[in-house]
Amino acid sequence: MKDNFWKNFHHPFRRDFTIFDEYVYAAEEPLEVAIVAFLSAKDPKITTQLMTPWSEQTRHTASFEVVDFPGDHFYVQDRKIVPDLVKKISEYLTKVKGGDFPPPLPPAEEETNASANGAGEFIQEDLVRKINLLEILEEDYPDVDPPPEDCVEKWTEQEIRAHFTA
């Protein structure tokens, strides 16, 4: 590794390492979108086995795919591979735009997901108001730690305001 490389990239890498060190996974409802994971075929640490649990993050588990490309961990920077990578992404975008990807969920799963999420109901106006209030207060009070993510569902508007102004 050249000296100037580390000098130029030390701080961005350090921020990445900090994110990795501090991140704590918290289970949430699976996403309503399909997930396609890309990885390099020759990366000894990031393997298909490590990527497969991403399938749990989508309701479209049957559509989950792992696509590998030649090269090492930094394969996306290899100019010879970029056209293939762009082509693959373009193929997925074309399928999404055409309505072919992801395929519809099986009816039983759709009904289960709809009833679990209260689908078909409009978001309550007070919930939207609380979300807007939270965004404004987070901008107005950037030094205050954000409240729990579920505060808009569990707290009153007064409790949200009090969190920022206390």
Side-chain angles (χ1 to χ4, degrees):
M1 186 179 314
K2 296 180 180 177
D3 290 339
N4 65 348
F5 176 85
W6 186 246
K7 187 164 96 176
N8 291 329
F9 293 99
H10 172 260
H11 292 291
F13 283 157
R14 184 64 245 153
R15 285 190 287 270
D16 283 350
F17 297 149
T18 301
I19 291 169
F20 297 144
D21 292 344
E22 295 176 357
Y23 176 77
V24 177
Y25 173 76
E28 296 181 27
E29 287 294 312
L31 300 170
E32 294 290 340
V33 297
I35 296 176
V36 178
F38 295 135
L39 76 146
S40 71
K42 294 182 182 175
D43 189 328
K45 294 186 179 184
I46 310 300
T47 63
T48 300
Q49 184 179 2
L50 282 175
M51 298 298 277
T52 302
W54 277 97
S55 66
E56 299 168 15
Q57 303 304 312
T58 177
R59 293 194 191 283
H60 296 272
T61 54
S63 298
F64 175 76
E65 293 182 49
V66 176
V67 179
D68 62 5
F69 289 90
D72 62 12
H73 184 77
F74 297 101
Y75 71 96
V76 295
Q77 297 175 6
D78 184 336
R79 291 178 187 218
K80 292 178 267 177
I81 296 172
V82 169
D84 293 335
L85 180 63
V86 170
K87 180 181 176 189
K88 196 64 170 176
I89 292 170
S90 179
E91 288 172 12
Y92 283 108
L93 291 175
T94 300
K95 288 196 267 184
V96 169
K97 187 176 178 183
D100 301 325
F101 188 79
L105 291 171
E109 190 173 341
E110 269 185 1
E111 290 170 14
T112 302
N113 292 339
S115 63
N117 294 329
E121 299 175 15
F122 288 102
I123 297 176
Q124 298 173 354
E125 285 184 34
D126 68 319
L127 184 62
V128 173
R129 197 170 42 251
K130 288 180 196 176
I131 292 169
N132 292 336
L133 173 64
L134 181 61
E135 289 175 358
I136 291 167
L137 291 172
E138 285 176 337
E139 286 179 17
D140 289 348
Y141 298 92
D143 296 333
V144 176
D145 288 334
E149 287 187 22
D150 62 354
C151 73
V152 293
E153 297 161 357
K154 296 183 177 181
W155 292 5
T156 65
E157 287 184 33
Q158 292 77 20
E159 290 171 317
I160 293 172
R161 281 191 175 91
H163 173 82
F164 288 93
T165 58

